[in-house]
């Protein structure tokens, strides 16, 4: 059987420009790729074989050429039925570009007899749209999210009409801070600051206790910590923009009594490199620590009165805890996103739980997991347990210090 027989062989499919494909990700025992339509926000999962085919739909290669590459990689050829199912899936989800969007020339147009449903954005090969089956794994594309009902007690409120344009302006203003020559010294200073915080943690903890007795300075400290959380969110957006991402919304979210800012990065999982994804996830906590640097300098070197000196000391400890808590590898914290990228997994916590239950029961299913998963899931569980144990030990030591100081 030919790689793509009949009328389909010459067809040169192309994905629409805003269709995003992720790197391979562990999903339980499977390896998947995420595919997202950045215009509608819908996404779904496919296996490595489907991804191999979809990633080559660039409008330049025909199905015959893609089929030859597939046969060379996987040792089997695809017939019309396979192509129709795959193209039917992509066409139904609106991911294929129209025939006029393909490269010039008669060979790039849809094959004879192709039909396009009224208003559909994609050119679908003959028979593809009629197929209700799909080779891709995962659920159908989700419907557009229903906006959250806004009440006095809970809700959200967008603050800007065009969040992506706002982030672009912020990036132009402060993007120089992401240059290695600037960022490296800032990171070194934050590490030095955290070393000071660790060494003098007892003193800082007593300052926090003293701050609770001063309502004015307590309010000022709370305001500064809120500003730090706002900068945390904006940092995610700026770093995402730096790496080619898009910010869809910046706003306020409240669950009274808490009111926080949020910044939604649409395509974080589809950035070109893992390093860029980790940098985007870590940007918020790093921003929290950088925000503390001038207050640390004032606390260490400025001639302050006792009350202000104590307030800055408390701010240093509370701000450091705020940043470090965000790095705990539990959902939905930034640390969990970093851990997921290090593991190369989606649904890391849930998959880890399933795998460990199988492994503890010595189920044969656990042995069926790929080697990468058998390493990543226990490593995540062990690292998370270690982090939580350290946090608990620090909390116990802090309480003991307060009770005995």
């Amino acid at each position: 059987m030919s790689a793509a027989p009949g009328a389909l062989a010459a067809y040169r499919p192309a994905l629409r420009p805003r269709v995003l494909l992720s790197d391979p990700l562990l999903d339980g025992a499977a390896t998947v790729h995420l595919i997202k339509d950045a215009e509608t926000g819908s996404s779904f999962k496919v296996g490595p074989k489907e991804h191999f085919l979809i990633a080559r739909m660039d409008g330049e290669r025909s199905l015959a050429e893609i089929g030859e590459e597939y046969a060379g990689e996987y040792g089997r050829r695809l017939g019309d039925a396979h192509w129709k199912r795959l193209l039917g899936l992509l066409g139904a989800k609106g991911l294929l570009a129209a025939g006029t969007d393909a490269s010039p020339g008669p060979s790039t147009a849809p094959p004879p007899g192709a039909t396009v449903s009224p208003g559909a954005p994609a050119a679908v090969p003959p028979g593809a749209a009629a197929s209700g089956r799909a080779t891709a794994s995962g659920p159908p594309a989700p419907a557009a999210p229903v906006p959250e009902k806004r009440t006095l007690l809970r809700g959200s409120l967008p603050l800007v009409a065009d969040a992506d344009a706002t982030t672009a302006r912020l990036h132009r203003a402060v993007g120089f801070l992401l240059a290695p020559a600037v960022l490296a010294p800032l990171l070194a200073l934050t590490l030095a600051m955290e070393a000071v915080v660790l060494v003098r943690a007892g003193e800082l903890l007593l300052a926090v206790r003293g701050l609770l007795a001063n309502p004015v300075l307590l309010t000022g400290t709370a305001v500064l910590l809120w500003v730090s959380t706002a900068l945390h969110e904006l940092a995610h957006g700026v770093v995402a923009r730096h790496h080619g991402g898009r910010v869809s919304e910046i706003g306020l979210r409240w669950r009274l009594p808490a009111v926080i800012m949020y910044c939604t990065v649409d395509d974080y999982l589809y950035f070109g490199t893992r390093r860029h994804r980790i940098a985007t996830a870590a940007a918020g906590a790093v921003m929290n620590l950088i925000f503390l640097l001038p207050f640390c300098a004032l606390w260490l070197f400025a001639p302050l009165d006792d009350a202000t000196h104590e307030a800055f000391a408390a701010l240093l400890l509370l701000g450091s805890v705020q940043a470090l808590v965000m790095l705990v590898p539990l959902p939905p914290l930034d640390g969990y996103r970093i851990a997921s990228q290090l593991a190369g997994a989606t649904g890391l916590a849930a998959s880890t739980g399933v795998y460990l239950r199988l492994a503890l029961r010595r189920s044969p299913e656990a042995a069926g997991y790929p080697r990468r998963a058998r390493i990543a899931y226990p490593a995540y569980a062990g690292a998370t347990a270690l982090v939580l144990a350290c946090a608990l030990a620090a909390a116990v030591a802090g309480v003991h210090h307060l009770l005995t100081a």
Side-chain angles (χ1 to χ4, degrees):
M1 183 182 290
S2 63
L8 289 178
Y11 179 52
R12 300 177 185 271
L15 299 177
R16 286 170 47 218
R18 289 288 291 160
V19 175
L20 307 174
L21 282 71
S22 78
D23 288 344
L25 298 169
L26 287 172
D27 184 23
T31 298
V32 301
H33 294 259
L34 304 180
I35 299 182
K36 179 175 181 178
D37 183 345
E39 292 183 4
T40 65
S42 63
S43 62
F44 62 103
K45 301 171 186 176
V46 298
K49 293 181 179 179
E50 291 90 349
H51 175 267
F52 184 92
L53 298 170
I54 294 168
R56 286 161 174 75
M57 294 181 180
D58 54 9
E60 299 292 332
R61 284 175 275 204
S62 68
L63 292 187
E65 293 168 326
I66 297 173
E68 287 296 336
E69 294 182 43
Y70 181 89
E73 181 72 17
Y74 292 104
R76 66 183 297 260
R77 298 181 182 277
L78 301 178
D80 271 353
H82 295 91
W83 289 113
K84 287 176 181 177
R85 286 196 295 271
L86 179 59
L87 293 169
L89 171 74
L90 298 177
K93 293 182 180 295
L95 302 183
L96 291 175
T100 52
D101 293 336
S103 301
S107 63
T108 64
T115 59
V116 180
S117 301
V124 183
S131 172
R133 298 165 58 195
T135 58
S137 60
V146 178
E148 180 185 24
K149 184 178 179 181
R150 192 182 303 161
T151 69
L152 181 62
L153 295 179
R154 59 183 296 148
S156 59
L157 177 68
L159 294 180
V160 295
D162 190 338
D164 198 48
T166 299
T167 310
R169 288 192 292 271
L170 287 173
H171 181 261
R172 285 194 294 271
V174 302
F176 70 93
L177 294 173
L178 299 175
V182 179
L183 186 58
L186 285 175
L187 293 177
L189 287 172
T190 60
L191 289 175
M193 177 182 69
E194 289 309 292
V196 171
V197 169
L198 181 62
V199 170
R200 300 177 65 174
E203 175 187 348
L204 300 182
L205 195 57
L206 294 176
V208 172
R209 185 174 67 180
L211 182 67
L212 298 177
N214 190 324
V216 174
L217 290 177
L218 178 61
T219 301
T221 302
V223 169
L224 288 173
L225 290 173
W226 191 93
V227 170
S228 179
T229 65
L231 294 175
H232 172 115
E233 293 298 322
L234 293 176
H236 285 307
V238 170
V239 175
R241 180 76 187 191
H242 186 72
H243 296 307
R246 180 179 180 276
V247 175
S248 62
E249 196 169 353
I250 297 172
L252 281 177
R253 180 175 292 121
W254 61 93
R255 305 286 188 274
L256 292 182
V259 181
I260 60 172
M261 273 191 67
Y262 66 91
C263 177
T264 304
V265 179
D266 273 342
D267 44 7
Y268 149 76
L269 291 175
Y270 304 87
F271 289 175
T273 69
R274 183 180 300 182
R275 180 172 62 85
H276 292 167
R277 297 189 289 269
I278 291 175
T280 302
V286 172
M287 182 68 250
N288 291 144
L289 296 176
I290 291 175
F291 175 78
L292 296 174
L293 285 175
F295 299 101
C296 180
L298 290 172
W299 176 63
L300 289 173
F301 306 116
L304 304 173
D305 61 84
D306 291 343
T308 304
H309 189 268
E310 187 175 75
F312 282 174
L315 176 64
L316 276 180
L317 181 60
L318 294 174
S320 296
V321 170
Q322 178 188 50
L324 295 177
V325 164
M326 293 306 300
L327 296 178
V328 172
L330 290 175
L333 301 176
D334 296 335
Y336 178 69
R337 295 184 173 91
I338 295 171
S340 295
Q341 288 304 311
L342 291 173
T346 180
L348 177 60
S351 295
T352 297
V354 171
Y355 173 77
L356 291 181
R357 285 192 293 272
L358 292 172
L360 290 173
R361 294 201 307 263
R362 299 185 181 276
S363 170
E365 293 181 43
Y369 277 63
R371 181 174 181 272
R372 179 171 152 229
R374 296 198 306 270
I375 295 173
Y377 296 153
Y380 168 69
T384 302
L386 179 61
V387 169
L388 294 178
C390 290
L392 179 61
V396 170
V399 171
H400 179 268
H401 181 75
L402 288 174
L403 293 176
T404 58

